[in-house]
Structure formats: structure tokens, C-alpha cells
Amino acid sequence: MPRGYIVMVGLFAGLGSFLFGYDTGIITTMFTRRLDMGNPNDAATGAIVATYIAGEAVGAIMQSVLGDKLGRKHFMQMMCLVVTVGTVIQTAAQNYSMFLVGRILTGIAVGGLVGTVPIYNSEISPPASRGLIGGLSGYMIGIGGFLANWIGFACGYASDSSSFQWRFPLALQVPPGIILFIGLQFFLPESPRWLVTKGRFDEAKISFGRVRGELMAAALEKEFDDMKEQILYEKVAIARGQVLSEAWTKYKKRVIIAIATQTMTSLTGVNVINYYQTTLYKQLGITGTRFFSWLVFMEPLASSSTLPTHGGSLLDASNSWDSPLLVFALTLYIPPIMAREFADSDNKVGKGFAILGIYLFTAIYYAGINSTTWLYGVEILPIFLRSKVTGLASTSHFVWNIALTEAGPSAFANIRENYYYVFVGTTFFSAVCIYFYFLNPGRNRAEFGDAVVHADDDDAADTTKFTKNIEKVLEQVLSVLLEKGRLWGRPTYYACAKLSLWPQTPHDTLLLR
């Protein structure tokens, strides 16, 4: 078990992730309120979400550009200032345009914070509990959403003629940014790994002593020297060229996987479903106080699944999250089927199963996917690439979210609950890619904690299972094609042989003539 001090530091830094979860959750309840802004139509409602996510993409890009230059603490402090301004503008908004400006600024801040917090937590935590401490970021996202729904539910009892219904929940976003800024300034240590990359070895040793205070002096000195040696090795290995171009040459597979991880997270549709679950409830005839009671019933239970004994610690244990994704995809079949069959009926059991599908979707996401996906890319990347590539990965995540959420109102209006089937397909595809292609950070992690710095050539063994399975499938397909004598069997076989997926025999050569 990690020291209580490290857990508290991880939770405190997680206030940045908490803001991400809270703002995502509170806007879901805001969609049911009269925002004193002219009752925005479907397109304007989609813009409220899309501009926020566009801001998140900008924040992620800023993380790539500035994260390593400013350091983990100073970058988070800058984002705290931005989020405070953004949330104040949202709360004080007098019209739709002013509200959108506040949403964009808040999005920029949380987009930078949500990618930086897991990096910071990972770099201050002991190797044995890196998944647990790093996963606290995802845990705090869930807690933010949980509190947002309860607060939104409570404020629903305020008078409909009062803006208190929506201004007060938005105002509660202001204190966490201020508190986090103060804590970063006076209490939280800087990442010792980042300090080493900047050549500030004395400061790094002091910071390392604070986060690994349970070690005896000799063990502390050895672990610090090991960490320093590894980071300096990475730095020298990349010093011959530009960081990103060298990274692509040496760590192409890891960069692709890190970015794909965040892209796949978006393609599960989790944000679409969280933002627009209100649409499904209305189709089922659940409105008013009863509607809010469902929100606050589901979110606490689902968020309780984010306890770090689950998602974050997967990296400390089995390091497998393709299985949760498969179950996750199956749960998405339930809501559209039940909504289509029972939306216009009085069958409460059928409607209940539709809501159960949404709950299972949320619970599995937070239990097995949420914490892990934000941490996984950090774990497989060498330290000098973490902030840059994590920023790019977060940008991909947010850009896909913009497209999916902007399409949400129109999609639900036209194809209704069938929009869920899009995410069933993308989630199944993601699970297959993860099983065959992704790396196992638990197996590759160095004893002293950072991701192993192997280049792609050293990762060849990790691709063996993927290649062999693809070869097996192609062989089966081609044998059927050739056996049936289809005309296009020959060019297909020729193409595969040219790719050298398996050794050619004299029989193969004859076929290719």
C-alpha cells in the first residue's frame, strides 16, 4: 500500500480532473433548465457542448506545447487561472454568447488539466502503486460527475422563475480552481522526473525524498540514481534530432497506441450518452422530478465503481481492458432495443431495462476504462514524450468528441435511439485492436518506475501474437477463396504474398503466375 501522503497528493492534484467531471455532469442537468438565453434550439444546444470540447482540444494542444517547458505544477497553475475566469463568466452570463465564451475558456482549462494530472500523479508515485495513484485522476472525474448530478437535482427544487437553478451549480466550479492553485503553490511537490529532465538535480532529489519518504537513505539514493540514469539515457538518445521527428522514428508504435487509446475512448460514445441521456429518458416518458431522481440514482452507483481498487489498479495487476470493452459494448445494445419497443407503452419493466443499460454502460466505463485510458498512454511513453504525446492524444479525443456530440441532437432527432448502435460497432472494433496490438505496461515497466524506453524494434515480440493471428485469418480466408475457384482469389493471394505474410512455396509461385 502507498503512503497516505502520496494518496492525498494524488487526490489533491485530482481536483483538476474533478473539474472536468463536474462541468461535464452539470451541463447535462442544465439542458433541462431554462437558461434565460432564449430557449436554444437543437443546433445551439449542440454548440454549448461542442464549443466546450473545442476549448478542451485547445487546452490539450497547449499541454503539448507548454507542458514540458513550464513543468507539471506551473502548467496546472496556469490552467487554474483560466478555469476560474471561465467559470465566473459562465455563472455571470447574461446572454447566450457570454455563456459560450465561458464554456470555451473552461474547456481550455480542463483540457489541459485532465491530461496533465495523470502524468503528474504517475511521476510522483512509487512503481508498485503507479496504476492506483495515477488512476486517481479518473476517480476524481467520476466524483465530479456524481456531485454535479446531486447538486443539479437539489437545485431543481428552486423556483423555475429564478436563475438560481442553473447559476448556483455553475458557481460551485469556481472554488476548486482557486484551491488547487494555492495547493500547487505551497504544498504539492514538483515532479522529480521533470526536474531531472531540466538538469535541476538537487531540487529533484529533495522532491523525490518527499514522495518516497518511506525508503531508507541507501534505498532512496539508489532509486533516485536509477531514475536519473534512465531519464538521462532517454534524453541523450533523442538529442540528435527534433523531439517529435525522432519520437516518430524510434517510438512510432507507442505514439500510435497512445493516441489511439484516447481516440477509442471517444468512440465508445461515453460523452454523447452522458450529455444526452436526458433525451432517452424523455423518450421513455421520464420527466420532472422523477427524471432527476434517475440521474442521481445512477451516477452515484456508477461513480462508486471508480474506486481505485478497480480501474487504476488494472495497470498494477492484469493490465487488460479489452474484456471490459467487450462487455461495455454489449450493454449498449440494451437501451436502444428497449427504447424502441417500450417508449410508447406503459410497460415499466421494459423501460426499466433501458435505464439499466445506461447504468451498466456508465458503471463499466468508470470501473474498467476511465482511469485506465488516461493513464495507459503515460505508462508506455518515455518521460520526454509524455506531455507532448499525451497532449496530442487528448486533442484527438476532444476532436472526435466535438464531431460526435455536435451530431448528437440531430442524430437523436432523426434516427433516435439507433445512434447507440454506432458506438456498439466502434467499441467492438476497439476491443479487438487492444487485444491484438496494444502493449502491456505492467510487463515492460522498469523496476524503478518509468515506462521502458525500448524503441519499436524492441517491441517486436509484442506484435508477434497480432501478426500470427492475422496470418491465420488470412490463410483461412484465402483457402476458401482458392477452393471455391473465385476469380478474385488469385489477386488477393498475390497481394498477401507480396506483403510476405507467410513464406512462399513452389505451389504459391505457380499460383502467382
Side-chain angles (χ1 to χ4, degrees):
M1 288 295 292
R3 286 192 306 147
Y5 171 75
I6 294 299
V7 175
M8 293 305 298
V9 168
L11 286 171
F12 198 94
L15 282 173
S17 300
F18 170 87
L19 283 165
F20 176 82
Y22 184 90
D23 198 78
T24 301
I26 205 62
I27 206 64
T28 301
T29 64
M30 293 301 99
F31 283 155
T32 66
R33 305 276 164 71
R34 183 180 63 85
L35 294 178
D36 300 335
M37 297 173 192
N39 295 316
N41 57 25
D42 285 346
T45 298
I48 290 175
V49 176
T51 53
Y52 173 71
I53 301 175
E56 291 176 324
V58 173
I61 293 171
M62 291 176 67
Q63 178 192 348
S64 288
V65 175
L66 300 175
D68 282 334
K69 293 180 180 178
L70 298 179
R72 314 305 186 220
K73 282 180 60 175
H74 289 163
F75 181 77
M76 287 194 286
Q77 284 184 304
M78 183 176 72
M79 293 296 100
C80 286
L81 295 176
V82 177
V83 79
T84 302
V85 174
T87 51
V88 167
I89 292 175
Q90 281 189 78
T91 304
Q94 299 301 307
N95 52 56
Y96 179 77
S97 299
M98 185 176 177
F99 187 74
L100 284 187
V101 170
R103 293 289 294 164
I104 292 170
L105 289 175
T106 305
I108 290 172
V110 299
L113 286 169
V114 77
T116 306
V117 170
I119 294 177
Y120 175 81
N121 280 0
S122 175
E123 291 178 355
I124 62 155
S125 54
S129 56
R130 181 145 295 125
L132 179 110
I133 303 301
L136 290 175
S137 173
Y139 175 65
M140 293 298 284
I141 293 174
I143 293 299
F146 153 60
L147 289 178
N149 279 348
W150 272 108
I151 291 167
F153 173 68
C155 291
Y157 287 97
S159 171
D160 289 340
S161 62
S162 170
S163 62
F164 179 87
Q165 267 196 356
W166 62 272
R167 291 191 191 275
F168 178 74
L170 292 175
L172 292 180
Q173 298 175 100
V174 178
I178 298 172
I179 294 170
L180 179 57
F181 181 93
I182 295 172
L184 287 165
Q185 182 66 34
F186 297 107
F187 303 110
L188 272 63
E190 180 57 272
S191 163
R193 289 166 174 79
W194 179 80
L195 290 170
V196 169
T197 65
K198 298 303 177 181
R200 295 157 61 176
F201 302 127
D202 292 338
E203 295 175 64
K205 183 173 289 189
I206 294 171
S207 179
F208 191 77
R210 290 180 63 184
V211 300
R212 297 306 311 275
E214 78 279 7
L215 297 177
M216 300 295 289
L220 183 69
E221 187 74 23
K222 182 181 185 305
E223 188 166 320
F224 177 79
D225 289 341
D226 287 343
M227 177 192 72
K228 177 181 172 182
E229 180 181 351
Q230 181 186 359
I231 293 171
L232 292 178
Y233 169 79
E234 295 174 13
K235 190 173 182 180
V236 170
I238 209 70
R240 294 186 301 272
Q242 297 296 319
V243 170
L244 290 180
S245 60
E246 283 286 305
W248 183 249
T249 301
K250 292 180 175 293
Y251 304 102
K252 182 190 301 182
K253 179 176 180 179
R254 292 173 182 267
V255 171
I256 290 173
I257 290 176
I259 295 174
T261 298
Q262 289 300 330
T263 302
M264 291 174 180
T265 304
S266 296
L267 292 176
T268 63
V270 64
N271 281 334
V272 172
I273 292 167
N274 280 343
Y275 282 130
Y276 299 119
Q277 59 182 291
T278 56
T279 304
L280 178 69
Y281 297 151
K282 289 177 180 177
Q283 289 178 10
L284 295 171
I286 300 172
T287 58
T289 304
R290 184 164 170 252
F291 156 75
F292 278 109
S293 67
W294 273 112
L295 277 180
V296 299
F297 167 73
M298 287 172 47
E299 189 66 35
L301 290 177
S303 295
S304 68
S305 300
T306 69
L307 286 171
T309 52
H310 292 85
S313 61
L314 285 178
L315 289 174
D316 296 326
S318 66
N319 303 288
S320 174
W321 43 288
D322 50 320
S323 297
L325 270 177
L326 288 172
V327 180
F328 186 64
L330 290 173
T331 64
L332 281 177
Y333 276 111
I334 301 174
I337 293 173
M338 295 300 166
R340 183 169 58 250
E341 294 296 325
F342 301 108
D344 298 323
S345 74
D346 295 326
N347 190 320
K348 294 182 179 180
V349 175
K351 293 181 178 182
F353 270 100
I355 295 170
L356 175 65
I358 295 291
Y359 164 70
L360 291 175
F361 174 93
T362 308
I364 294 170
Y365 177 81
Y366 282 113
I369 300 172
N370 183 50
S371 297
T372 310
T373 52
W374 286 105
L375 183 59
Y376 179 81
V378 175
E379 282 284 273
I380 65 171
L381 292 168
I383 189 168
F384 69 93
L385 280 180
R386 286 178 181 174
S387 191
K388 293 178 176 63
V389 176
T390 300
L392 292 174
S394 298
T395 302
S396 174
H397 173 83
F398 297 134
V399 167
W400 276 100
N401 276 342
I402 292 170
L404 295 172
T405 53
E406 181 66 19
S410 298
F412 282 119
N414 291 288
I415 62 175
R416 295 168 62 85
E417 67 278 353
N418 293 317
Y419 194 31
Y420 286 81
Y421 290 128
V422 174
F423 307 119
V424 173
T426 54
T427 304
F428 267 116
F429 176 75
S430 298
V432 172
C433 290
I434 290 166
Y435 179 78
F436 286 120
Y437 192 69
F438 277 29
L439 301 171
N440 185 328
R443 185 179 67 248
N444 292 334
R445 185 188 299 152
E447 284 301 314
F448 45 90
D450 289 304
V452 164
V453 293
H454 296 324
D456 283 342
D457 290 343
D458 300 311
D459 289 328
D462 294 302
T463 318
T464 301
K465 181 173 66 173
F466 174 76
T467 305
K468 287 185 176 179
N469 279 280
I470 292 297
E471 288 179 11
K472 187 180 298 183
V473 172
L474 287 173
E475 285 177 329
Q476 292 172 351
V477 171
L478 290 171
S479 64
V480 171
L481 293 175
L482 293 171
E483 184 179 339
K484 297 295 183 182
R486 297 186 183 277
L487 294 176
W488 42 279
R490 183 177 296 176
T492 304
Y493 195 97
Y494 176 78
C496 292
K498 281 294 186 184
L499 290 173
S500 300
L501 290 177
W502 55 82
Q504 295 182 30
T505 66
H507 175 66
D508 299 332
T509 305
L510 180 64
L511 284 172
L512 295 175
R513 288 176 181 172

